[in-house]
Amino acid sequence: QVQLVESGGGLVQAGGSLRLSCAASGRTFSSRAAGWFRQAPGKERELVAAITWNGASTYYAGSVKGRFTISRDGAEKMVYLQMTSLNPEDTAVYYCAASRSYYSAPSSSSADYDYWGQGTQVTVSS
């Protein structure tokens, strides 16, 4: 089993930055890809960024490419999302997720992730 707990959300002005953290537990987490998803009110959950089990490969949604950076610390079982140049369209609940498969490529589909955190709210004011 894998448990995930997000932190670091909050209220920030447009143009500002935030760093989200995801603390994982469970012995298999280090073998799974991880992703950050977000869901705004009335919208579907969408992938923001994903990273392979060893951090060697990443994937970003077009809307955040160049502004967000995903990383992970295998030893500490942490996944991070550094967000810069935030704008009001980035307002959402952000979720950390771990993949169903071991050693898989980062996936943009939420169906490929079996483990989810409770989410952390990010609000960007204009």
Side-chain angles (χ1 to χ4, degrees):
Q1 276 286 33
V2 174
Q3 291 81 41
L4 304 170
V5 178
E6 303 97 335
S7 62
L11 174 65
V12 64
Q13 288 188 333
S17 300
L18 278 176
R19 187 175 85 151
L20 304 183
S21 299
C22 174
S25 61
R27 62 182 180 85
T28 67
F29 175 76
S30 298
S31 303
R32 302 178 188 270
W36 284 97
F37 288 75
R38 68 185 181 187
Q39 188 165 21
K43 295 187 177 181
E44 292 187 358
R45 189 171 298 189
E46 63 173 355
L47 178 80
V48 174
I51 190 167
T52 49
W53 64 278
N54 59 357
S57 181
T58 56
Y59 172 89
Y60 294 94
S63 59
V64 308
K65 197 172 294 184
R67 300 189 297 124
F68 292 10
T69 303
I70 189 171
S71 61
R72 68 189 297 167
D73 182 331
E76 297 296 327
K77 294 185 179 179
M78 297 290 296
V79 181
Y80 303 100
L81 185 69
Q82 179 67 49
M83 306 185 293
T84 64
S85 301
L86 286 160
N87 59 63
E89 289 71 39
D90 296 315
T91 295
V93 178
Y94 284 70
Y95 298 90
C96 179
S99 66
R100 175 183 309 116
S101 302
Y102 296 151
Y103 309 116
S104 61
S107 171
S108 61
S109 172
S110 61
D112 292 328
Y113 296 82
D114 271 359
Y115 305 98
W116 295 85
Q118 81 289 350
T120 186
Q121 176 71 46
V122 172
T123 303
V124 185
S125 63
S126 58

